[in-house]
Amino acid sequence: MSASNVLVVGLKGLGCEIAKNIILAGVKSVTLYDPEKVEVSDLSSQFFLREEDVGKPRAEVSAPRLAELNQYVPVSVYDKELKPEDIGAFKCVVVTEMPLQKQLAFSEFAHNNGVCFISTEVRGLFGYAFNDFGDSFKVEDPTGEEPLSGMVASIEQTAEGVVTCLDETRHGLEDGQFVTFSEIQGMAELNGCEPRPVKVLGPYTFSIGDTSSLSEYQRGGLFQQVKTPVTLSFASLKDALESPEYLISDYAKFETPAQLHVGFQALHAFSAANDGRKPRPGNDEDAAEVVRLANEINDRWSQKTELNEELLKKLSYQAQGDLSPMVAVFGGLVAQEVLKACTGKFTPIKNFMYFDALECLPIGFKPSAEDLAPIGSRYDGQIAVFGRKFQEKIANYREFLVGSGAIGCEMLKNWAMMGLASGPNGVIHITDMDTIEKSNLNRQFLFRPSDVGKLKSETAAKAVVKMNPDIAGKIATHQDRVGTETESIYNDSFFDGLDGVTNALDNVEARQYMDRRCVFYRKPLLESGTLGTKGNTQVVVPFLTESYSASRDPPEKSIPMCTLKNFPNAIEHTIQWSRDLFAGLFTQPAENVNAFLSTPDYIESSLAQSNEASQVETLTTIRDYLVADKPLTFDDCIAWARRRFEELYNNTIQQLLFNFPKDSVTNSGQLFWSPPKRAPTAIAFDPTDSTHVDFIEAAANLHAFNYGLKGSRDRDHIKRAAAAIDIPPFTPKSGVKIQVNDSDNAEESGSNDVSRLDELAASLPDPSSFAGVRLSPADFEKDDDTNFHIDFITAASNLRAANYGISPADRFRTKQIAGKIIPAIATTTSLVTGLVCLELYKLIGDGEGESRRKIEDYKNGFVNLALPFFGFSEPIAPERRKYNDVEFSDWDTFEFDRDITLQELIDFFESEHKLEVNMLSSGVSMLYSPFLNRKKAEERKAMKLSAIVESITKKEIPAHVKWIVLVVCCNDADDEDVDVPEVRVKIRD
């Protein structure tokens, strides 16, 4: 990317969105071409234009604002007349807002001169993208997925060469992929061999071709997938118009691409015949002309299709439409295509992709030329599609945005362009407790370097008010995380003042909490997420769809504890081990010491709840960190780090090999150190080895931080001091137990020595002798490059990898894994938020009663821009359950508008539903059950439900809580347990 020059033609909303995303990505340079003057209608989607810019050249006004996004990407304006021969200096050219005949001339030059050509347009709720990357375009990595690897169990010496993998994990390979091998014993010719093609035989087996002439396989080995480049041939625009290939964006609309292929050509033909004018919004005369032109084009086309006149009319009606969400969808999509053109990474679109979102039109929408006509407003591009009445609905909508990171910034930009909450009754609430970090700037485009350290919610709000002053005073910013502890802020009154909620969160726990709140208050929820080039969207509509929490992703696969402790076989294992080691050396011990020094009767109170083994470990740590390992100088910290090195990478490994020598066998006669186990080798400290010194430097500085001592980066001194430490020789001990499997009951050596508890407790110093002393725990922070956290984990992990013969990982990869970083990229974020805002249109335009939207009108989206893949499905309906003959879902409740007694509740279920209440709970508190003695039961039956809750929890119900929620268990007439909806009781107005 850093060697690629890109030209963007047309700086309305779509061109600006594309330019923004590729500048954030970091290409070599971006040149803008658009000499046309800014019009008020451009403000519908061009977020870097202001009202005072009207009449000025679009490119000149946009360039300095785009340049602010990334100081490393020069942004310039091409200020001469642009001719086809002028584009030869660019790697990639993107054209928007260009007549078709002119596009054909530019495409032809680009095709013949090795320039990647992309054309894209958005017309209302319709859009397309086209790629021509030349006759021979090499894709270096078609998918962007990490190469697969795995452990080999056996390889047959046959004509097929069948490879069997360990039955722990599926190989995941596909036919036609290539693999090579390493660490094979016996059939060593395969180690580092030329990549061999794969034929998949089963989930754990594949063939690699003839191995009959190779040595006999003995044991061990790893396979590694090898990515092979793919060469693609693209047609020029002229040829592609006649013989198009389509990327299907929505399989429910399989016939639509051919219709729109003709329709967009008809729009260009209309404009060419009318001095560049587009069809007027809702104008039947212009629409009839577009349909006539479409039929002419279709009759001449070699792939003549049956045209849908109604669809073409809608395309004509919306030709002047300019919608920010559609611009975001195509701006993200096309920007990723530009990056593919520049890098050869990921598979490009070949060659057209058409997309429409007509489901967004309001229920019962009947377009009229009067309602759709422009009014000289910044929202004319949106009014041209939805009309003025709908614009008023948008302006008075009330939405809560949870999070203002990457997705939140894009969401706010789209909402500002839409005019969301710009009316007298509209409001946008934003909450985000985080401050802006430097690492946010490459994808959270509302923030600039000068904003680092400021609150995200406040900064984002100020940035979008500049984009649309109409929303000034309409954004309420908060800095409180959403959770049970802030329900006094985000209370009944708060949710009563909302029409919906949009999540822009980065963790499942907060998403599920907001989902529960939306179910409770019956508010629609818009949910989305990204993972690199992958993205998903989900719409939750009360009573119509299931909630977010109703479906869950499978849990992440965890690493067995015995693998982490003693038998790692992959770099991910050593990184996780090092991450745990960081907490065990620099976080937990300091916290334990502080608790010991500040808690009276610490041993009796705080430790009483843990088992004896944990108590021994905790007390040993406290004693060591207050006495034996308490440093006075930084050199003491170096000595401590050197002893840790010896213990972790030499002594522990020697003990492990003493217990299980490299030639030891199991009871079945198999070698103990068979895959997936890797036999380790102890490491002797070497002051000339940079990784060894990295470990000592990071560990010593972190230990010094714990005690408030000044650290040092003088590596020469650290080397000399570490080398001078006298380390006694280690002799492995007999009788030490080492856990081989997680199912084993064997404890690690000495950890269950209960008899040591009293001795340890007696050896602890008196806390009063450390008055005012506190240690500083090192709370893991991946984004501070000066704090030694990632340095320690990288060195510790790579040393452990060296112990076990595992290939090391560099600092960046270690940081990704240890910090559980999933890269967020601007292109996917832009597209996903565009899709979310299309669903928002549907929620705003929903009807009432019989005219409400059907579930099939909504779309959950799944995209992978790398492949590229688009998949849309209707949301899942909520699960229906039944008691007697009554059906209900999670959205249904029993509501009482006053604080009733327990007896009244029991009577209600018995008389109204023929159900017997046998258990009642509120949160974790049991209010009523068959186990209650008769006297208590009768007492409670006479009490108000709120009083019972307060009596059992021994806490007053907070003043902001208007409703209490109860879970009821009932029996029907057949004495069978039945599920019933939850009960809500209003206890105050």
Side-chain angles (χ1 to χ4, degrees):
M1 280 197 302
S2 60
S4 300
N5 302 306
V6 179
L7 172 66
V8 179
V9 179
L11 263 295
K12 284 192 171 186
L14 182 55
C16 185
E17 183 70 39
I18 295 165
K20 176 205 81 178
N21 290 330
I22 58 178
I23 290 168
L24 288 171
V27 295
K28 182 180 180 183
S29 72
V30 172
T31 302
L32 310 174
Y33 177 77
D34 190 343
E36 298 299 319
K37 302 290 192 292
V38 176
E39 299 175 358
V40 172
S41 59
D42 296 341
L43 306 183
S44 287
S45 63
Q46 220 283 38
F47 46 87
F48 279 150
L49 295 179
R50 311 283 183 264
E51 288 184 8
E52 57 268 27
D53 299 326
V54 173
K56 301 174 185 175
R58 275 196 290 255
E60 282 186 20
V61 172
S62 303
R65 293 164 189 166
L66 284 164
E68 288 179 359
L69 294 170
N70 190 339
Q71 61 181 325
Y72 302 107
V73 178
V75 178
S76 59
V77 174
Y78 193 87
D79 54 6
K80 298 178 240 175
E81 183 185 354
L82 185 66
K83 299 173 183 172
E85 57 267 27
D86 298 331
I87 66 175
F90 298 97
K91 173 70 177 174
C92 182
V93 174
V94 187
V95 301
T96 68
E97 305 296 330
M98 181 182 278
L100 183 58
Q101 287 305 312
K102 202 170 178 182
Q103 284 187 44
L104 288 166
F106 277 82
S107 165
E108 204 63 29
F109 182 90
H111 188 84
N112 295 329
N113 290 274
V115 178
C116 294
F117 177 84
I118 301 175
S119 167
T120 182
E121 285 182 65
V122 168
R123 300 287 169 226
L125 291 166
F126 300 89
Y128 81 84
F130 166 79
N131 282 347
D132 172 14
F133 291 178
D135 290 323
S136 181
F137 181 77
K138 185 183 280 189
V139 180
E140 299 290 347
D141 181 356
T143 66
E145 299 294 330
E146 284 288 324
L148 298 166
S149 63
M151 288 190 157
V152 175
S154 68
I155 304 176
E156 293 180 5
Q157 196 177 15
T158 61
E160 266 200 309
V162 176
V163 179
T164 302
C165 301
L166 288 177
D167 58 7
E168 284 188 347
T169 53
R170 296 166 180 260
H171 55 65
L173 296 166
E174 297 176 7
D175 286 347
Q177 292 180 333
F178 288 77
V179 295
T180 188
F181 296 87
S182 61
E183 300 184 28
I184 289 175
Q185 296 181 41
M187 202 177 279
E189 297 94 329
L190 288 177
N191 290 330
C193 67
E194 286 295 310
R196 286 182 166 237
V198 165
K199 180 183 177 184
V200 174
L201 304 176
Y204 306 104
T205 55
F206 59 89
S207 71
I208 55 170
D210 193 356
T211 57
S212 58
S213 63
L214 305 182
S215 307
E216 185 178 355
Y217 174 83
Q218 292 177 8
R219 64 175 174 271
L222 304 168
F223 77 81
Q224 180 82 26
Q225 181 191 359
V226 178
K227 294 286 187 85
T228 52
V230 176
T231 301
L232 300 177
S233 178
F234 289 80
S236 67
L237 180 58
K238 178 183 176 184
D239 293 340
L241 286 171
E242 185 61 31
S243 302
E245 293 180 54
Y246 306 122
L247 171 70
I248 303 298
S249 61
D250 188 343
Y251 285 89
K253 302 176 179 180
F254 199 78
E255 306 299 326
T256 302
Q259 305 277 332
L260 296 182
H261 187 67
V262 174
F264 269 95
Q265 291 179 69
L267 286 185
H268 279 281
F270 180 97
S271 294
N274 289 274
D275 297 323
R277 177 177 71 81
K278 299 184 185 76
R280 287 165 289 182
N283 187 281
D284 290 326
E285 184 184 338
D286 287 356
E289 178 63 9
V290 169
V291 171
R292 186 189 69 77
L293 290 167
N295 280 307
E296 279 187 9
I297 293 166
N298 191 42
D299 289 340
R300 295 194 303 267
W301 190 24
S302 61
Q303 299 184 25
K304 184 175 178 179
T305 187
E306 187 176 340
L307 295 179
N308 180 333
E309 188 172 312
E310 285 305 309
L311 182 70
L312 294 173
K313 277 186 178 180
K314 288 176 181 175
L315 178 61
S316 175
Y317 291 159
Q318 297 183 24
Q320 291 188 28
D322 188 11
L323 302 177
S324 182
M326 286 292 292
V327 162
V329 169
F330 277 88
L333 172 72
V334 171
Q336 191 64 56
E337 297 304 300
V338 172
L339 302 182
K340 293 174 186 179
C342 294
T343 64
K345 186 170 185 179
F346 309 146
T347 304
I349 293 171
K350 190 170 181 284
N351 38 32
F352 281 100
M353 190 196 93
Y354 290 95
F355 174 80
D356 78 84
L358 286 175
E359 304 85 2
C360 295
L361 291 173
I363 293 294
F365 181 67
K366 293 183 175 59
S368 73
E370 183 184 356
D371 190 39
L372 301 175
I375 57 174
S377 151
R378 67 178 299 136
Y379 309 115
D380 279 353
Q382 194 161 248
I383 289 171
V385 177
F386 294 109
R388 276 175 276 175
K389 293 174 188 172
F390 188 73
Q391 185 61 44
E392 288 178 17
K393 282 190 172 183
I394 293 173
N396 288 297
Y397 208 69
R398 304 166 302 172
E399 191 76 0
F400 182 25
L401 178 63
V402 189
S404 52
I407 288 176
C409 283
E410 293 288 341
M411 204 72 71
L412 283 170
K413 175 259 294 178
N414 289 337
W415 291 356
M417 295 298 95
M418 291 163 61
L420 189 81
S422 59
N425 300 317
V427 66
I428 296 171
H429 291 273
I430 318 170
T431 189
D432 196 314
M433 62 188 291
D434 288 345
T435 54
I436 299 162
E437 298 175 2
K438 189 177 180 182
S439 61
N440 300 148
L441 301 180
N442 71 334
R443 59 192 184 279
Q444 299 177 17
F445 89 105
L446 296 180
F447 307 141
R448 301 291 178 268
S450 59
D451 296 324
V452 171
K454 296 177 183 176
L455 288 162
K456 285 185 177 181
S457 58
E458 291 182 359
T459 308
K462 287 175 184 174
V464 294
V465 166
K466 287 181 183 176
M467 294 177 176
N468 183 1
D470 290 356
I471 58 174
K474 296 293 182 178
I475 302 179
T477 60
H478 308 264
Q479 294 81 44
D480 311 283
R481 73 181 293 274
V482 290
T484 53
E485 68 275 17
T486 54
E487 287 180 4
S488 59
I489 300 167
Y490 309 119
N491 54 22
D492 294 4
S493 301
F494 177 83
F495 276 92
D496 286 346
L498 296 177
D499 293 310
V501 176
T502 300
N503 276 349
L505 291 160
D506 60 1
N507 69 88
V508 173
E509 183 185 357
R511 285 178 165 127
Q512 290 176 339
Y513 173 79
M514 283 311 302
D515 177 62
R516 291 194 299 273
R517 300 300 278 171
C518 287
V519 171
F520 183 86
Y521 291 108
R522 294 168 181 163
K523 301 294 180 184
L525 172 67
L526 294 169
E527 176 58 67
S528 60
T530 67
L531 194 162
T533 58
K534 300 168 188 169
N536 73 284
T537 65
Q538 181 179 350
V539 57
V540 176
V541 184
F543 300 101
L544 190 66
T545 73
E546 69 174 11
S547 67
Y548 170 80
S549 305
S551 312
R552 294 192 185 182
D553 293 333
E556 287 186 34
K557 189 175 179 182
S558 59
I559 305 168
M561 190 56 65
C562 63
T563 301
L564 283 179
K565 280 189 170 185
N566 300 310
F567 308 113
N569 57 63
I571 194 65
E572 290 80 6
H573 300 164
T574 67
I575 291 172
Q576 183 58 55
W577 175 87
S578 301
R579 177 68 182 83
D580 295 343
L581 180 66
F582 176 92
L585 291 178
F586 309 114
T587 309
Q588 195 62 51
E591 290 175 351
N592 289 341
V593 167
N594 290 345
F596 170 74
L597 295 176
S598 60
T599 307
D601 302 321
Y602 171 77
I603 297 173
E604 293 79 7
S605 57
S606 301
L607 280 186
Q609 297 175 5
S610 56
N611 60 42
E612 287 88 349
S614 297
Q615 291 182 41
V616 167
E617 186 179 347
T618 301
L619 295 182
T620 303
T621 303
I622 292 171
R623 182 197 62 191
D624 290 347
Y625 274 65
L626 282 178
V627 184
D629 294 332
K630 184 174 183 291
L632 298 176
T633 65
F634 183 68
D635 278 7
D636 291 341
C637 296
I638 295 173
W640 177 87
R642 174 66 185 88
R643 292 194 295 272
R644 295 293 80 73
F645 181 100
E646 198 69 15
E647 173 190 316
L648 295 166
Y649 305 111
N650 188 330
N651 301 357
T652 302
I653 301 300
Q654 284 194 49
Q655 183 66 56
L656 184 60
L657 290 173
F658 178 81
N659 280 41
F660 306 107
K662 292 189 178 183
D663 57 357
S664 60
V665 294
T666 64
N667 294 336
S668 62
Q670 183 185 8
L671 276 172
F672 178 84
W673 294 104
S674 295
K677 294 185 180 73
R678 304 172 73 102
T681 303
I683 295 175
F685 177 71
D686 180 359
T688 65
D689 188 310
S690 62
T691 306
H692 294 207
V693 180
D694 288 345
F695 176 88
I696 302 296
E697 180 184 18
N701 275 281
L702 286 166
H703 197 57
F705 171 83
N706 283 156
Y707 290 90
L709 298 175
K710 186 179 178 182
S712 170
R713 292 179 180 270
D714 185 344
R715 287 176 70 88
D716 289 335
H717 172 73
I718 291 169
K719 282 182 195 177
R720 291 193 302 272
I725 305 298
D726 183 29
I727 301 294
F730 175 76
T731 304
K733 300 180 181 68
S734 298
V736 174
K737 295 177 183 177
I738 293 177
Q739 194 172 353
V740 176
N741 299 300
D742 278 4
S743 56
D744 290 351
N745 292 321
E747 294 284 349
E748 294 291 334
S749 167
S751 63
N752 60 351
D753 191 359
V754 180
S755 62
R756 293 186 59 206
L757 260 178
D758 291 340
E759 178 190 334
L760 278 168
S763 69
L764 293 176
D766 184 353
S768 62
S769 62
F770 290 88
V773 173
R774 293 294 182 270
L775 300 195
S776 300
D779 294 320
F780 178 63
E781 172 50 64
K782 65 184 184 297
D783 293 320
D784 183 352
D785 291 337
T786 67
N787 64 9
F788 290 101
H789 294 193
I790 293 296
D791 301 284
F792 174 81
I793 290 169
T794 302
S797 168
N798 286 339
L799 285 169
R800 182 135 172 109
N803 277 141
Y804 286 87
I806 298 168
S807 297
D810 62 20
R811 191 181 190 281
F812 177 73
R813 174 123 178 89
T814 302
K815 179 178 177 178
Q816 277 195 312
I817 296 172
K820 296 185 178 178
I821 299 170
I822 298 167
I825 55 177
T827 51
T828 318
T829 306
S830 171
L831 186 148
V832 161
T833 52
L835 293 177
V836 169
C837 290
L838 291 176
E839 298 305 305
L840 180 59
Y841 279 140
K842 298 175 188 178
L843 292 172
I844 296 172
D846 197 5
E848 294 181 359
E850 291 298 314
S851 62
R852 283 200 71 192
R853 287 189 186 274
K854 306 293 187 287
I855 195 168
E856 56 267 24
D857 295 333
Y858 295 98
K859 301 276 186 182
N860 289 345
F862 308 89
V863 301
N864 185 343
L865 293 181
L867 299 178
F869 168 79
F870 285 77
F872 294 98
S873 65
E874 67 180 52
I876 299 171
E879 181 189 355
R880 308 294 296 180
R881 300 189 294 280
K882 186 185 279 190
Y883 64 91
N884 296 337
D885 291 323
V886 180
E887 281 195 347
F888 69 96
S889 74
D890 288 341
W891 294 100
D892 295 298
T893 60
F894 292 113
E895 291 192 0
F896 297 88
D897 60 4
R898 63 183 180 84
D899 193 359
I900 60 174
T901 65
L902 174 55
Q903 186 64 59
E904 286 177 295
L905 183 70
I906 293 170
D907 293 344
F908 167 81
F909 275 98
E910 191 171 321
S911 61
E912 299 291 328
H913 299 280
K914 304 296 184 284
L915 296 173
E916 179 190 357
V917 175
N918 61 26
M919 201 171 294
L920 182 67
S921 61
S922 172
V924 296
S925 301
M926 185 65 65
L927 310 186
Y928 177 72
S929 78
F931 316 115
L932 274 179
N933 67 53
R934 182 173 294 182
K935 184 181 176 187
K936 269 194 177 177
E938 292 305 318
E939 284 175 0
R940 288 186 187 176
K941 284 179 183 179
M943 295 170 66
K944 300 278 191 189
L945 289 169
S946 63
I948 300 174
V949 171
E950 290 182 333
S951 169
I952 292 172
T953 61
K954 295 182 171 52
K955 292 179 185 174
E956 282 190 19
I957 297 172
H960 66 271
V961 175
K962 294 182 179 179
W963 298 81
I964 55 173
V965 180
L966 308 172
V967 175
V968 184
C969 296
C970 293
N971 289 345
D972 62 15
D974 298 323
D975 206 30
E976 294 289 332
D977 290 342
V978 291
D979 283 338
V980 296
E982 69 181 20
V983 171
R984 298 182 188 175
V985 178
K986 191 171 188 180
I987 60 171
R988 56 174 66 95
D989 292 324

